[in-house]
Every structure is written in structure tokens, then in C-alpha cells.
Amino acid sequence: MRILAFHLMPYADIDQSFTEKYDAAWVVLPNTYFDREKGHQLYNRFLDELEYADQLGFDGVCVNEHHQNAYGLMPSPGIMAGALSRRTKGWLAVLGRALPLLNNPLTVAEEYAMLDEITGGRLIAGFVRGIGSEYHSSGVNPTESHDRFHEAHDLIIRAWTEPGPFHFEGKYYDFKYVNTWPRPYQQPHPPVFIPSQGSSETIRWAADASRRYTYLQTFSPISAVAKYMQMYKDVAREQGYEATPDQLGWSVPIYVAETDEQAREEARPHAEMFINKLLKKPVEMLLPPGYLTLGSMKGVMAAKAGMSVHRTLEDLIDSGSFIVGSPTTVREKLREAQAQIGFGNLLMTIQFGSLPHDLTMKNIELLAKHVVPYLKETAATAGAAV
Amino acid sequence: MTSTASERGTRHTLRIDDCDLSYLRGGAGPPLLFLHGAGGVARWTPWMETLAGSYDVIVPDHPGWGRSSTPEWFDNVHDLAYFYLDLIDALGLERVHLAGQSIGGWIAAEMAVRSTSRLATLTLIAAAGLRVAGAETFDIFLASPEANVRASFYDQTLADAQLAATAVTGEDVDIFLRNRFAAARVAWQPRLYDPHLAKWLHRIDVPTLVVWGANDAILPIALQAEYVRLIPGAAAATIDRCGHIPLAERPAAVIERFTAFTDGVPA
């Protein structure tokens, strides 16, 4: 099992009274809430945290992309990946670049190839469509989101795998000379991860026999993790092959402390800040027209009554959206989930919301000492038994 | 042909340009092609019935909206403009009074810069399509459905009535979502305008009336002056105590101005 440390790099020190005046930490929250000195400290703190996780035995680190919000301060994840590339030894996962938001997706082929060359083949290449709010923030038309994503993906893979120059003739992108320098270090190209919160269209596309990309279920109740990974396995079978654990991944916030009680007390304000302040937004902001298919959108509208409800740490733990507890509790929950669901990639979100540096470092240490080695060993044993 | 509307208006479908177009039609007189706004038109309304006393009123659901299909070619406002010029040909209409509300007004203006050969007049009602620097438009895509209704009306008792009457269920949910999708397809970026339209409005050579609610909180009234400035000979009609949808809020005032305008044009 591959276990990576994932960081959203939120603006953790925000004045939390912002929710009294604004609907969301996205799109409409004035950037006057951003303090440049705090920002400087946070970026360096977060890079230290990921480097520490890499040093202590995680299999690597992950960054991602978000725009114009306090939830994640990485509009350009390649910069963070570049900063990490020579200080870490494990996998370097960018999960991922939001392809439809870019005018020229060839820049992703170039950026990822650079990272793969610098790291000697340690890059994991993530492709996403971006969060719905980011279509408000970027001006990109959300009704073109799916089509642009597929076309940009095809362009990047062809840029990596076909000799250039060649002419790419798409609807949205037409480039007379595709001839990317550098080419990626890994052949035919870096492993591709497709993060999603669950979409049958995305799963069907990722699991297609011609792609077999790793599907990564992000921040979801564990019932959804199980359901969508089963869906992936079913599609693989329809396509005539068996999905391997390597093709399935789960990204989940985890907090470990000395005892269950202590873990809950330490995590509570920061997890609740994450869910109730950084993540919450009006449905029109979250889901602009076309971001989801009509069928998916109807499902969300039917469920939207629950979207603005205040959630507690206990709600998050009970649904399996967060894993919090003593080392024994956490590793047993993860072992059980792994045995049941069969994922081969686990992305531990080691910091969330306002979780401060000292607790984040302690979390990383306890995970690296008591949880990561245990999971790798049990997954290896289970794998050998099959 | 199916008849689902009350009184004179009946619903029809016509396949044209690979689109199954659904439209309401009723009345007698010169043809009046009315192009609806972002929210579509659910049914034959009293103001349509009034107009049907003097005109052959034709109210399509735009391709992608309402009960019309979404054709493969539906990418932008220009596609809709060419489509409706084809519709006028297909229905064999001559001397058409072309009118449009909001996004529909924008489509009408895009049609008229391309060809006025089948048009008698052009009426733009709170029409999207232009940008005036500094005149901010309301963000219909970020606002909740309720906030959109409230921003549409000057008289908030009318907004209250509309909100009370709105029970979105069954097929209405599909249509609501399809309308939102189609409006975003056309108007998301640049938001509610076409940077190339202003350059060619001088081509419009039919009598033009530009109607605006004095209290429009969706599209600022500065856009009315810009249309009047750019379309040769265009006249302005401003409706007092009125928001973004004059035909819903002050129908009698709009119909009076519209009738006087079209009556003044030689047949």
C-alpha cells in the first residue's frame, strides 16, 4: 500500500468571524482577510510539515490546486511541488491540475514533465476539473467543463506519448505544433490519479480498459468510498479485467493523539472549522450550471436540504469522513476499511482547518510511528495471502 | 400538434436544424416572434393573450430551453441567432415584429445585425448583449432562485406572489435545470454580452424600440441608452416603477407602447 501525506494548505489563521458577513470562504470572501506576513509563515510551515512526513516514512506527499479562497492556498500547485521536489525522497503527487480552468493545458504537460525529470520519476500526475466555485472565479464556462477536461487530457497524454511535433485538432484546443520539451521521465508517462467526490461518469472514464487510472475518492463518508470503489471494480470487470488495489485510492483527514478522548478534544475545533467555515458554500456557488450532469444535479438538489446544516466532529467521525482517535483506534479503522474496500493508495490529510503546527507535527509523528508501518505490513500480508 | 395552453395559444413542435423546437402560437395579424429570457416561458400568459388579439404571436422555447431539444451545435448566442433566422424562413414569415426579453433581446439583436430582410420592427426589452463599463449586471448565476426572483421585480409583492406560486416538481425540475444550463452556455463568459455585437449594431435598418424598466436591478438601464446610441434611429421607452421583466410587471404599459410603435410602421 502506498501511503501519502496530503496537505490542502488552508489559510488556517483566518479571522473566523468572517462567516457572520460572508456566505463562503470562496469567491466572495474579500482577500483583505489575507495577511501577507501570516501567509509567508503558513506557506513555509506547510512545506515543513510535508517534508517532515516524507522524512518520517510516508511514501510521499501530495499537493493540489484551488483558486481564490481561504480553503486551499495553492492556485499554482506546481510551485509547491517544485519547492518540495528536491527536499523529499518519496512520491510527489499533484492532485491535480484543474484542466478546464487553463487556457492552454499544454502547460500542464510541460510542468508535469519537468517535475518528473527533476525527481527522476517520482511524480504522480493528477487531473481534475476544479471545484464548481472556481468556474465563478475563473470565468471558464462550466457547461464546457466535461468536454474541455476530456480534450485537455487527450492532448496531454498524446503530448507525452507521441513524437512531436504533431497537430492536435480539438474543438477547444487546436495546436499546430505540439512538441513538448521536456518529455516525462517515467514511460510511457507518470501514473495518473483522478480525484473525485463520486461521479459514475468519472469512474467509468477512469476505469476504462484503455486508461485504468487510479480513482481517488476525496473527502467522503466511508459508505460512499466503498460504493464508488465497488463501482470502479464493476466497470473494470465489464471491461474484461480485474481492478488492482493500485487503481483505488482514498483521501481522508486523519488525526491521531495519545488517547481517543485527547484526539477528539484536540481535533474538534479545527475539524469543525474545516467543515462549517472553509467548506460550506451556497449550492449555486458549489454547482454552477453544467458542472454536474443533469441526473447528478437532480440528486444533489434532492439532498440539498442537508447541505447547510452545522456538523460536529462526531458527525464526521460517525460517517467515516474523518478518522480520529488513538493509534490503535485509527489503525484498526483503516485496516478494516482497507480489508473491506481493497484500496491500495491512502492519502492522509495530515492537517485540516485551523489545526496548528505543533498538533500537525505530532499527528505526523504518531501516524509515521504507529499507523503507517502497521498498515503497510498488514496490506502486504493480506496481499501475499491472496 | 398538441394543445396544452389555454385560450388562443397552442403548443407546437417543429424539427429544424436538427432541433425539436417547441413553441406556443396563437392569435391573428402580423407575425410577432417573441424570444424569452433566461428563465424561459412555462405557459401562455395573459399578456400573450392580449397581444394575440392583434398579432400572430409565436413564442418558442429556445433550443436547449424548456421543451425544445438541445442540438449538438448549441454553443453560443450566434448559433441561436442563425437558428431563428432559419425558423423565420421555415415558417414562411414576412414582415416580422421581432421582440425579445433579456437574453431573448440579445438573440434578437444578434439576428438583426445579420439580416433584417424578413423583419418589420425590432423591440428589445431589457436586452442583454452589451457592456457599459462600470454598469455592473446582477450575477444571476451566483444568486439563489429566490434572490433572482426578488431582483427581477420592482414591486416585491409580485415577487412574493411568484415565489409563493413556484412549486418546482417533476418535469419542472428538469426544465429549471435545462434553462439554467442553456443560459450559462450562452451568457456565462463574457457575462451576458458579446464583445463583437456593439461593432455591428449600425447595420440594423428597421425601426427599433428599446424598452427598459426604470428600476431594472438585473441589467442596468445604462444599457438601454447604449442600444439607443448604437442602433440608428432607435427609440427608447422607459417604464416607471418597473424592474427587469416589464411584460410581467407592467404588461399594459408595455403593450401600449409596443402597439403604438408597430402601428406607426407602414405595413
Side-chain angles (χ1 to χ4, degrees):
Chain A
M1 179 146 69
R2 178 157 50 193
I3 302 178
L4 308 178
F6 181 41
H7 213 311
L8 283 165
M9 303 200 183
Y11 188 61
D13 292 345
I14 195 163
D15 169 4
Q16 295 189 26
S17 68
F18 78 86
T19 47
E20 292 163 20
K21 285 200 221 164
Y22 298 98
D23 277 351
W26 304 70
V27 186
V28 294
L29 180 65
N31 62 3
T32 47
Y33 276 85
F34 181 86
D35 178 274
R36 63 197 177 91
E37 187 56 43
K38 282 183 182 171
H40 167 68
Q41 289 164 9
L42 284 173
Y43 275 121
N44 287 284
R45 173 197 145 184
F46 294 156
L47 288 168
D48 287 346
E49 289 166 1
L50 286 178
E51 288 170 12
Y52 193 51
D54 180 79
Q55 286 160 23
L56 292 193
F58 279 77
D59 295 317
V61 295
C62 305
V63 294
N64 77 346
E65 171 174 337
H66 286 300
H67 296 268
Q68 301 197 23
N69 69 93
Y71 169 91
L73 294 177
M74 289 184 282
S76 186
I79 288 176
M80 304 319 278
L84 290 161
S85 62
R86 286 170 44 98
R87 301 283 291 268
T88 58
K89 302 179 300 294
W91 289 101
L92 183 55
V94 183
L95 299 175
R97 291 310 315 267
L99 303 183
L101 302 183
L102 302 164
N103 288 324
N104 181 354
L106 269 182
T107 57
V108 175
E110 294 170 339
E111 176 185 296
Y112 277 175
M114 286 174 70
L115 287 165
D116 203 38
E117 285 291 336
I118 291 169
T119 59
R122 291 187 284 117
L123 181 78
I124 291 171
F127 299 130
V128 296
R129 292 193 294 121
I131 291 217
S133 338
E134 290 162 345
Y135 289 78
H136 289 281
S137 295
S138 67
V140 172
N141 194 322
T143 71
E144 297 174 353
S145 169
H146 285 101
D147 289 348
R148 280 184 181 271
F149 176 81
H150 291 135
E151 195 175 308
H153 159 271
D154 293 349
L155 169 60
I156 292 165
I157 297 295
R158 285 189 57 194
W160 281 344
T161 54
E162 289 182 26
F166 65 86
H167 184 180
F168 184 85
E169 297 169 277
K171 175 173 176 177
Y172 298 99
Y173 313 104
D174 187 313
F175 294 113
K176 181 79 179 153
Y177 301 104
V178 177
N179 192 21
T180 302
W181 288 68
R183 296 168 59 206
Y185 186 92
Q186 296 175 84
Q187 289 297 314
H189 57 73
V192 172
F193 275 38
I194 305 296
S196 168
Q197 280 203 299
S199 137
S200 52
E201 295 91 1
T202 300
I203 289 166
R204 183 158 288 282
W205 179 84
D208 189 275
S210 67
R211 285 180 281 269
R212 307 188 190 203
Y213 293 155
T214 297
Y215 174 74
L216 185 74
Q217 183 73 26
T218 60
F219 190 65
S220 309
I222 191 156
S223 56
V225 179
K227 172 181 149 188
Y228 291 117
M229 292 195 188
Q230 187 58 48
M231 189 183 288
Y232 189 109
K233 291 178 199 169
D234 293 344
V235 173
R237 245 171 240 140
E238 278 172 38
Q239 296 265 320
Y241 75 95
E242 286 292 318
T244 63
D246 195 47
Q247 285 170 263
L248 303 172
W250 181 22
S251 170
V252 58
I254 302 182
Y255 189 76
V256 185
E258 289 71 1
T259 66
D260 285 348
E261 277 71 44
Q262 191 180 338
R264 287 185 184 223
E265 288 320 302
E266 287 175 357
R268 177 171 287 106
H270 313 297
E272 292 182 359
M273 183 268 193
F274 167 81
I275 191 79
N276 295 313
K277 291 183 184 280
L278 293 182
L279 204 54
K280 199 154 81 177
K281 55 184 87 107
V283 68
E284 290 78 19
M285 186 184 286
L286 178 66
L287 300 171
Y291 182 76
L292 296 181
T293 60
L294 190 65
S296 305
M297 190 69 200
K298 280 167 76 174
V300 170
M301 281 184 71
K304 95 171 179 184
M307 286 186 67
S308 58
V309 171
H310 182 89
R311 280 189 277 177
T312 65
L313 179 69
E314 278 63 31
D315 296 333
L316 297 169
I317 292 173
D318 291 349
S319 67
S321 303
F322 262 68
I323 296 184
V324 177
S326 68
T328 308
T329 300
V330 167
R331 67 194 200 187
E332 281 314 309
K333 279 190 178 180
L334 289 170
R335 186 196 57 75
E336 193 184 321
Q338 203 282 331
Q340 183 203 337
I341 300 170
F343 48 85
N345 296 281
L346 181 60
L347 276 61
M348 298 181 168
T349 306
I350 43 84
Q351 192 279 345
F352 42 82
S354 48
L355 191 74
H357 182 58
D358 58 336
L359 295 183
T360 305
M361 294 299 262
K362 181 163 74 98
N363 190 30
I364 293 167
E365 280 167 19
L366 292 174
L367 283 167
K369 191 168 176 189
H370 299 296
V371 181
V372 172
Y374 172 83
L375 289 174
K376 292 180 77 74
E377 196 175 304
T378 51
T381 311
V386 168
Chain B
M1 185 193 300
T2 54
S3 178
T4 54
S6 63
E7 314 202 40
R8 268 179 280 212
T10 54
R11 188 165 285 282
H12 306 251
T13 57
L14 175 67
R15 187 161 177 86
I16 169 173
D17 293 339
D18 300 320
C19 175
D20 294 311
L21 186 78
S22 176
Y23 63 99
L24 294 164
R25 187 170 190 175
L32 164 55
L33 177 60
F34 176 83
L35 304 182
H36 64 69
V41 283
R43 58 192 64 83
W44 187 256
T45 59
W47 62 261
M48 292 176 198
E49 182 64 19
T50 304
L51 285 166
S54 313
Y55 305 88
D56 171 12
V57 179
I58 303 163
V59 185
D61 290 354
H62 304 325
W65 266 266
R67 292 173 175 80
S68 293
S69 69
T70 303
E72 277 293 311
W73 48 255
F74 176 41
D75 288 325
N76 56 49
V77 70
H78 306 147
D79 296 324
L80 297 179
Y82 287 115
F83 172 83
Y84 278 125
L85 290 170
D86 278 0
L87 176 70
I88 288 174
D89 287 346
L91 292 176
L93 305 177
E94 301 281 354
R95 304 281 304 156
V96 175
H97 296 297
L98 174 63
Q101 156 73 33
S102 195
I103 282 177
W106 178 13
I107 299 166
E110 296 276 2
M111 292 168 68
V113 299
R114 285 164 174 76
S115 173
T116 55
S117 65
R118 302 287 190 99
L119 304 186
T121 65
L122 173 66
T123 301
L124 306 178
I125 307 170
L130 294 180
R131 177 179 66 177
V132 172
E136 280 291 316
T137 59
F138 183 78
D139 191 347
I140 59 171
F141 297 116
L142 194 54
S144 67
E146 178 179 346
N148 270 309
V149 170
R150 295 223 167 272
S152 297
F153 288 95
Y154 170 73
D155 180 351
Q156 287 296 300
T157 62
L158 293 174
D160 293 339
Q162 175 155 339
L163 289 167
T166 306
V168 179
T169 53
E171 192 193 15
D172 292 346
V173 176
D174 280 41
I175 288 178
F176 171 79
L177 292 170
R178 297 187 72 239
N179 291 352
R180 248 171 78 75
F181 179 94
R185 194 77 164 164
V186 168
W188 185 275
Q189 181 74 11
R191 190 58 58 86
L192 288 165
Y193 80 100
D194 169 8
H196 304 289
L197 177 61
K199 295 187 283 190
W200 303 106
L201 286 172
H202 68 265
R203 285 175 44 81
I204 297 176
D205 57 0
V206 293
T208 299
L209 180 68
V210 185
V211 180
W212 229 272
N215 312 97
D216 191 330
I218 304 272
L219 293 177
I221 198 162
L223 297 174
Q224 180 191 34
E226 189 68 350
Y227 267 116
V228 169
R229 185 176 76 81
L230 292 168
I231 299 175
T238 305
I239 312 294
D240 291 342
R241 293 173 286 109
C242 182
H244 180 59
I245 316 174
L247 278 164
E249 189 153 10
R250 306 269 329 267
V254 178
I255 289 170
E256 185 190 335
R257 301 294 290 267
F258 175 76
T259 307
F261 164 65
T262 57
D263 286 354
V265 175

